[in-house]
Amino acid sequence: MSYKLRVEALQAWYGQHQVLKGISMPIRANTITAVIGPSGCGKSTFIRCLNRMHEVVPGTRVAGRVWLDGRNIYNGINAVEVRRRVGMVFQTPNIFPAMSIFQNVVAGLYLNGIRGRRQLQERAENCLQQAGLWEEVRDRLHDTAAGLSSGQLQRLCIARALAVEPEILLMDEPCSALDPIASIRIEELMRELKASYTIILVTHNMQQAARVSDYTAYLCDGELVEYESTPEVFIRPKDSRTENYITGRGADTRPL
């Protein structure tokens, strides 16, 4: 199986405070990799470093290398190109409430200079179908997106991320604000999408990580403690800290 990303000695800081402490791991193509660990361990910072979102925050710093198809995203690749190829879905759906469903989906395309009405319509329909939302909104594409449910809004954000044709999809706790039924729909969607995309999922939900991911990385205190196939991590963890965290018996949860 080929690797889509390779992370080497990745470190990250907020001011003088070091959040990530030399993380190295390969990410396999067309898989779902779950990133788990206690609050404050650096999970969200880690995935924000994978599409250069971390550097958007003033006072931050990154060291190390992130190889995307053999190219270091921190050396010689424009950040805009990186973020197009590595899309992101946030914990809270970040829609444009005053814009229509259609406008929300194609916003990234419009900003990138794509104006052809037919092309925009075709891309919007395709991405809404990929996100499992087309049948629910096809008759109200020009209604405001604010009228959608929380689960629909999150799938709308996924459709918008897919519209710019990324290769990797980062998902930062996409189900944390959703009810169980909406969460299951997002999980089903992730399984469908991995045929075409490489997905990296941050989650606090151990059951979700076990259900949907192929590989699991356990972070603690900014360090990568364990990274194996999900069955190995959940059934035969090699590190006692991993086992304690998964079973709830008391991991090292010192905040950063």
Side-chain angles (χ1 to χ4, degrees), residues 115-134:
R115 299 287 193 272
R117 186 70 179 179
R118 182 174 179 179
Q119 185 177 5
L120 292 174
Q121 288 175 332
E122 289 177 351
R123 190 76 65 82
E125 179 177 345
N126 179 261
C127 293
L128 286 167
Q129 287 177 336
Q130 282 187 287
L133 192 56
W134 174 250

Side-chain angles (χ1 to χ4, degrees), residues 2-7 25-29 31 33 198 200 227:
S2 62
Y3 294 115
K4 188 65 181 177
L5 275 178
R6 285 184 181 272
V7 180
M25 58 186 284
I27 305 291
R28 293 158 177 82
T31 60
T33 299
T198 301
I200 304 172
Y227 176 50

Side-chain angles (χ1 to χ4, degrees), residues 31 34 63 81 87 108 143 155 157 164 181 204 242:
T31 60
E81 179 188 348
D143 292 350
R155 283 183 282 150
C157 291
V164 295
I181 294 175
H204 275 111
T242 309

